[in-house]
Amino acid sequence: MKHPRLKYEQRTFAHIDDMAETLLHEVNEQLIRIDMGLLPNNVPSRNYAKFRLMHLQRSFGESIPLSFRSTYNSLWSQLYRLEHQCDYKHPYIKQLLIQLKNNDSSSAK
Amino acid sequence: MSKCPFHTLFNEQGAIQLFRKKNQKENEDTNLRPSTSSHVTTYYRQLLSSDRKQQVSFVRLTEEDVQRLASIRPLFAKHVERIVNVFYNQIGQIPNLRRIIDNHSTLDRLKQTLRAYLMDMVSGEIGEQYIIRRKVIGNVHNRIGLFPEWYLGAYTIIQNEVLHILMEELPPTEATNIYRSFAKLCSFDMQIAIETYIESYTSSMMKLNEIAELQHRLTESSTTLASSAEETTASIFEVQKNVQNMLDEVTTIQRQSVQMTERVEKGKEDVKQTLTKLDGVAKLIEGTKSLTNELTDSSRKIGEIVNAIRSISNQTNILSLNANIEAARAGEHGKGFAVVANEVRKLATQTEQSLDYIQNHIDVVQQTIRKFEHAFQQIVDETRAFRQANESIIHIFDQSVTDVKSTNKKIDQFTSLIGQFHQMFDEISSAASQIAEMAEQLNDLNQELTEKFNS
């Protein structure tokens, strides 16, 4: 964590802890909204949470501080759960899997 | 976190528990109570109706296996702590794994997770949600950099310890059967987790999340760019209009200034002509003044003549008086002569009177000439003052012309500057239009990218 990035979108934070608290709070709210059906469980809704977590990941680097670690890990897991609940697969991954399956079937012949 | 309106849904770690099966108390209860047969069947049917059917069949995981595992739930609850401890004792001896634990979680937290994971295996609830929970494990392992070889090896540790417990607690046949069921479920779990791990690893290897984030930022930036380009174009158009108005105004001022210079030049010419005429009048007055002098001179000469005549008249009067005296001496003979002498005296007297009259008129003429001269002098003085005033006016006109010409020069420079501004704004406007066009193209490209990413 040589140069913590204290900016997110149009906001600048005084300290990385403030940023982490705010962004984790926003991620949590977003995931709850999706779970409660207030927001659709789709890519844009999930990306709102995912990009915030990614930003924290980049900002903290290899090790997330203990004070945030549990929340941070839980929120990632919740996000993965939401992805799997709607059977989300990235379109590129889908294509790759199709290609792999096609290769398998052609080599089997 | 106190700001969160959903804080009541928050657990102590900061995540909601919606996907966890039950609350802690309920879990404790169910840990000790085997699932009912119908309960297991409901979940197992979910499994068979999902796209995992082939995998279930491949590892030969039957409803009976799940039922069998559910039946040893109390036994598992009794020994779960032992399995967890053995597992993490072994894991803790491997520096690479220890580092992953230290960087990404805590031992206590991971023990809790493993405890829940193991109890989940004997819950009898091997359905759709179970698969999702296993998938999440694959994602998490990829995120923290735990490679599959460690993941697969970890199952061996668990399976060994479970086998020890089963052999200790149950008759060999039953222990063997249960272990087989447990091994099947472990294989199923590994299939799911490894499949998700591969997907997740491929996704992170291709930086798909990062690309998606960049694409999202690109969308926002291009939208902002398009809107600001639009605003800039609108502002420039407004400024361009103002500059054009300014240019028009300055051109009008320039034209009016030239007209003013022309008028001032014309005024100067008029004043000069007036002065020339005035000079003519002055000359005429000078000429008239010399005539007046001549008149004065003539009247003076007339006066001299009058005086000469008056002298002659006086002598004539004396002569007539002498003639009268001589006529008196001559007596009778002198009477006629006396008459003549009287007549001559009368004539002299009349001449004297006429001379007085003439003299009076000459005096009047001379007075008039003096008044005339005085009036002429006043005219000359006034004309001189008028000339001086006009010369001042000409000087002012000259100064005005110089000033106006200097102002014209400045206006020319100003006009040139405004012209340059105008040209500059044209160029900026053109650049802004290009930016707007580029932003639109960027938006289109982004739209395509978004469709590809979100399809």
Side-chain angles (χ1 to χ4, degrees):
Chain A
M1 202 169 61
K2 284 176 188 172
H3 301 290
R5 294 149 58 117
L6 296 177
K7 270 190 169 181
Y8 189 76
E9 290 178 341
Q10 275 79 47
R11 289 171 293 175
T12 305
F13 297 90
H15 193 270
I16 194 161
D17 287 359
D18 295 339
M19 183 171 77
E21 270 191 33
T22 307
L23 295 187
L24 288 174
H25 168 79
E26 286 173 1
V27 171
N28 186 53
E29 277 191 327
Q30 181 78 354
L31 298 181
I32 291 168
R33 281 193 202 101
I34 297 170
D35 267 325
M36 292 177 79
L38 298 171
L39 286 173
N41 183 8
N42 58 15
V43 174
S45 297
R46 287 195 304 270
N47 275 350
Y48 176 93
K50 189 188 275 181
F51 296 158
R52 279 163 173 73
L53 290 172
M54 284 169 70
H55 184 72
L56 288 176
Q57 194 173 33
R58 278 194 301 271
S59 303
F60 281 123
E62 274 193 6
S63 179
I64 305 292
L66 267 177
S67 53
F68 300 114
R69 195 176 288 178
S70 181
T71 307
Y72 171 81
N73 286 337
S74 296
L75 291 172
W76 266 117
S77 296
Q78 300 296 329
L79 184 66
Y80 295 140
R81 171 182 59 84
L82 287 172
E83 282 185 350
H84 293 305
Q85 270 181 348
C86 67
D87 221 9
Y88 171 76
K89 270 191 177 65
H90 196 284
Y92 286 178
I93 299 290
K94 266 188 194 168
Q95 278 187 2
L96 279 175
L97 288 173
I98 290 166
Q99 278 180 9
L100 281 171
K101 278 180 187 169
N102 289 342
N103 286 343
D104 277 354
S105 57
S106 61
S107 61
K109 284 174 190 171
Chain B
M1 294 291 170
S2 57
K3 293 176 284 184
C4 178
F6 303 100
H7 68 277
T8 50
L9 294 170
F10 240 126
N11 73 5
E12 59 183 356
Q13 282 79 37
I16 53 166
Q17 292 279 316
L18 292 182
F19 94 119
R20 300 266 161 96
K21 292 175 293 177
K22 303 274 168 15
N23 63 32
Q24 195 63 36
K25 190 166 189 316
E26 261 184 292
N27 277 337
E28 281 168 11
D29 292 343
T30 49
N31 281 346
L32 303 171
R33 194 179 60 240
S35 295
T36 60
S37 175
S38 61
H39 188 66
V40 171
T41 305
T42 308
Y43 282 99
Y44 189 73
R45 278 183 186 160
Q46 278 183 5
L47 205 61
L48 292 184
S49 61
S50 72
D51 55 2
R52 299 285 155 184
K53 189 179 171 182
Q54 273 192 334
Q55 287 170 323
V56 172
S57 147
F58 181 72
V59 296
R60 296 186 178 179
L61 179 71
T62 60
E63 188 181 335
E64 197 185 347
D65 289 318
V66 181
Q67 203 75 257
R68 199 175 286 136
L69 288 171
S71 71
I72 60 154
R73 190 170 174 79
L75 182 70
F76 240 65
K78 184 180 158 191
H79 292 288
V80 71
E81 207 60 41
R82 174 180 155 186
I83 304 170
V84 168
N85 286 332
V86 167
F87 181 82
Y88 277 106
N89 282 342
Q90 201 158 339
I91 294 286
Q93 289 167 21
I94 299 164
N96 189 30
L97 298 180
R98 184 78 215 182
R99 189 179 53 78
I100 291 175
I101 292 169
D102 290 342
N103 279 345
H104 295 283
S105 190
T106 60
L107 203 54
D108 286 347
R109 177 78 184 139
L110 287 175
K111 281 183 174 180
Q112 193 186 328
T113 308
L114 181 60
R115 222 175 281 126
Y117 177 85
L118 291 170
M119 292 311 295
D120 201 16
M121 290 180 88
V122 290
S123 65
E125 295 174 0
I126 316 296
E128 280 175 357
Q129 292 303 309
Y130 183 87
I131 293 170
I132 288 175
R133 289 194 288 275
R134 266 53 192 161
K135 280 181 172 180
V136 170
I137 291 168
N139 289 127
V140 171
H141 285 173
N142 172 63
R143 185 168 60 77
I144 63 173
L146 182 69
F147 294 111
E149 62 265 32
W150 298 110
Y151 180 64
L152 295 173
Y155 269 101
T156 311
I157 303 169
I158 293 168
Q159 281 175 331
N160 282 342
E161 199 53 34
V162 167
L163 183 60
H164 282 146
I165 292 165
L166 292 175
M167 295 301 277
E168 283 168 21
E169 295 277 346
L170 300 170
T173 315
E174 198 185 343
T176 309
N177 286 338
I178 290 173
Y179 180 72
R180 276 185 188 147
S181 299
F182 185 71
K184 285 180 193 175
L185 188 57
C186 283
S187 297
F188 181 62
D189 278 11
M190 280 190 270
Q191 278 184 349
I192 299 165
I194 299 255
E195 182 191 299
T196 320
Y197 178 88
I198 290 169
E199 278 179 27
S200 197
Y201 180 74
T202 313
S203 173
S204 57
M205 195 181 68
M206 293 175 75
K207 305 268 181 200
L208 293 178
N209 279 339
E210 285 79 358
I211 293 170
E213 193 186 19
L214 281 175
Q215 184 262 330
H216 171 74
R217 279 198 221 150
L218 201 62
T219 306
E220 281 187 341
S221 304
S222 65
T223 310
T224 312
L225 187 67
S227 103
S228 63
E230 205 174 308
E231 279 175 25
T232 309
T233 310
S235 306
I236 287 171
F237 179 69
E238 200 57 38
V239 173
Q240 256 182 326
K241 243 170 52 180
N242 289 340
V243 169
Q244 186 57 51
N245 286 345
M246 209 190 282
L247 202 61
D248 291 347
E249 290 293 326
V250 169
T251 309
T252 308
I253 292 170
Q254 211 176 12
R255 199 176 55 244
Q256 284 173 348
S257 178
V258 170
Q259 285 172 353
M260 199 163 108
T261 314
E262 284 171 2
R263 278 190 206 125
V264 169
E265 290 281 10
K266 175 83 171 47
K268 203 175 96 176
E269 281 308 310
D270 288 350
V271 172
K272 271 185 180 172
Q273 281 178 11
T274 308
L275 282 182
T276 310
K277 282 178 186 167
L278 204 66
D279 287 346
V281 171
K283 268 183 190 170
L284 205 64
I285 290 170
E286 283 297 325
T288 312
K289 204 178 165 188
S290 70
L291 284 175
T292 316
N293 288 339
E294 282 174 22
L295 197 63
T296 308
D297 199 36
S298 298
S299 69
R300 187 179 50 78
K301 282 176 182 167
I302 292 167
E304 283 172 8
I305 292 165
V306 167
N307 285 336
I309 295 169
R310 192 182 294 280
S311 170
I312 293 166
S313 170
N314 283 340
Q315 284 174 6
T316 309
N317 202 22
I318 292 165
L319 281 173
S320 68
L321 199 62
N322 288 340
N324 239 347
I325 294 166
E326 288 303 322
R329 267 185 209 163
E332 204 59 37
H333 296 295
K335 279 186 179 176
F337 195 68
V339 171
V340 174
N342 280 336
E343 286 304 316
V344 170
R345 195 177 55 83
K346 278 182 189 172
L347 278 173
T349 306
Q350 281 176 353
T351 301
E352 189 73 21
Q353 285 172 345
S354 295
L355 284 172
D356 286 344
Y357 184 73
I358 289 167
Q359 189 61 52
N360 283 339
H361 276 281
I362 286 169
D363 288 346
V364 170
V365 167
Q366 281 180 337
Q367 273 176 10
T368 306
I369 287 169
R370 272 197 297 279
K371 280 180 187 171
F372 213 51
E373 272 179 344
H374 182 70
F376 277 163
Q377 191 54 50
Q378 273 185 332
I379 289 170
V380 168
D381 291 344
E382 292 290 332
T383 306
R384 195 173 291 129
F386 187 64
R387 189 185 170 81
Q388 277 174 356
N390 276 288
E391 276 169 353
S392 297
I393 289 168
I394 286 174
H395 182 69
I396 289 165
F397 277 166
D398 281 341
Q399 194 60 47
S400 299
V401 168
T402 310
D403 288 350
V404 170
K405 277 181 180 168
S406 164
T407 310
N408 272 351
K409 212 171 176 182
K410 282 174 189 164
I411 290 171
D412 283 346
Q413 287 170 352
F414 189 57
T415 311
S416 161
L417 271 177
I418 292 175
Q420 283 173 14
F421 267 131
H422 199 258
Q423 200 182 338
M424 211 185 290
F425 277 119
D426 280 347
E427 284 166 12
I428 292 170
S429 174
S430 157
S433 301
Q434 282 175 1
I435 290 170
E437 205 176 311
M438 279 166 67
E440 206 175 312
Q441 285 175 4
L442 198 63
N443 247 341
D444 291 345
L445 285 171
N446 238 351
Q447 193 61 41
E448 280 180 33
L449 203 62
T450 309
E451 280 164 12
K452 278 183 185 168
F453 266 66
N454 295 341
S455 58

